[in-house]
Amino acid sequence: MGESNQEKLLDEVRNRVSDILAAVQLLTPLVQEKGGQEDRKYLAAMNKSLYRLMRAMRHIEAYDEESIFQPQPLDLAGLCRDVGRQMEPMAERLGIEFDWRLEDSSVIGMADDHLLELALLNMLTNALEAAGKGGRVTLHGEVKDGRWRVSVGDDGPGFTPVGEENPLLKQPGGLGLGLVAARQAAFRHGGVLMLENSREGGLRAVLSLPIQKPDKADLLLTQQPKADLWGGFSPVLVELSPILPLESYFPEDVD
């Protein structure tokens, strides 16, 4: 069976990522030793392009229904806490107020941590972009009716569905393609991603997942080291690459 168009596209993106990464690795020590401020800006631009390509690659992989799905015992609240803490300095850098709150200190369930992290970062990136400088974004997590429910809100313009088939495509007043990957991540966990315009203005995205309790055999998996599917790159810098300023990708910030 031949390669699908999606597989060919992924291979092409991976090749471009490898090309840029090799160039960045060659140039970084030279710029740090002999380059001026303008050279550092050029290198930051290359880094940002690299991270954006990596983001596209991760989204394509996540959208593939046949991609690897590895649920393990995971503290769902702990993952949200980690993402919230990492997001605080990024929101500050963007000039956006970011408030987050978890009603539960720990919620253990079976989940794929990489896919859920990707979904949360997708939701927050979309909210930060919609809110813009001077805006406000919120993150709230709670157990409700036996499900883990995470809502991300913003005070942006809200959204207008493009069409019945896919209301998540990027259009004026629409949403980013990243939320398509987030919706797929929710589906893989038996959950849903719901979108609604808030009465106060802006959009609220709600990720609702069933809490699948691990059995004793599953709990042993928590002792296994996690694979780094990000290749050592910061997931936050990758996912926020469309909206973070160039200065976020100077060599000393991405090492």
Side-chain angles (χ1 to χ4, degrees), residues 37 40-41 44 47 246-255:
Q37 185 64 17
R40 294 178 70 249
K41 288 182 180 179
N47 277 328
L246 197 63
E247 292 75 15
S248 301
Y249 296 90
F250 282 134
E252 60 271 21
D253 293 320
V254 299
D255 287 341

Side-chain angles (χ1 to χ4, degrees), residues 121-196:
L121 290 173
N122 287 165
M123 294 163 66
L124 285 164
T125 299
N126 191 81
L128 290 167
E129 184 177 19
K133 187 174 182 179
R136 183 172 182 266
V137 169
T138 60
L139 168 67
H140 179 245
E142 64 177 342
V143 175
K144 188 173 183 180
D145 298 326
R147 301 174 72 88
W148 177 239
R149 179 183 170 100
V150 181
S151 61
V152 174
D154 64 69
D155 60 357
F159 81 105
T160 303
V162 177
E164 292 299 324
E165 293 187 2
N166 195 344
L168 303 182
L169 294 176
K170 188 69 174 180
Q171 295 286 346
L175 299 171
L177 284 173
L179 284 179
V180 179
R183 185 175 61 176
Q184 181 66 13
F187 174 77
R188 298 289 292 275
H189 286 86
V192 293
L193 177 67
M194 299 172 288
L195 307 169
E196 59 186 12

Side-chain angles (χ1 to χ4, degrees), residues 78-98:
L79 176 62
C80 285
R81 187 178 303 111
D82 290 343
V83 169
R85 288 171 177 168
Q86 293 179 71
M87 198 60 60
E88 285 179 339
M90 301 301 168
E92 183 178 359
R93 187 173 299 180
L94 291 166
I96 298 171
E97 180 184 353
F98 177 54

Side-chain angles (χ1 to χ4, degrees), residues 94-129:
L94 291 166
I96 298 171
E97 180 184 353
F98 177 54
D99 296 322
W100 61 282
R101 186 177 82 255
L102 302 178
E103 303 297 341
D104 305 270
S105 60
S106 180
V107 180
I108 305 298
M110 294 294 293
D112 185 310
D113 60 336
H114 293 289
L115 275 181
L116 279 192
E117 181 181 43
L118 179 66
L120 290 173
L121 290 173
N122 287 165
M123 294 163 66
L124 285 164
T125 299
N126 191 81
L128 290 167
E129 184 177 19

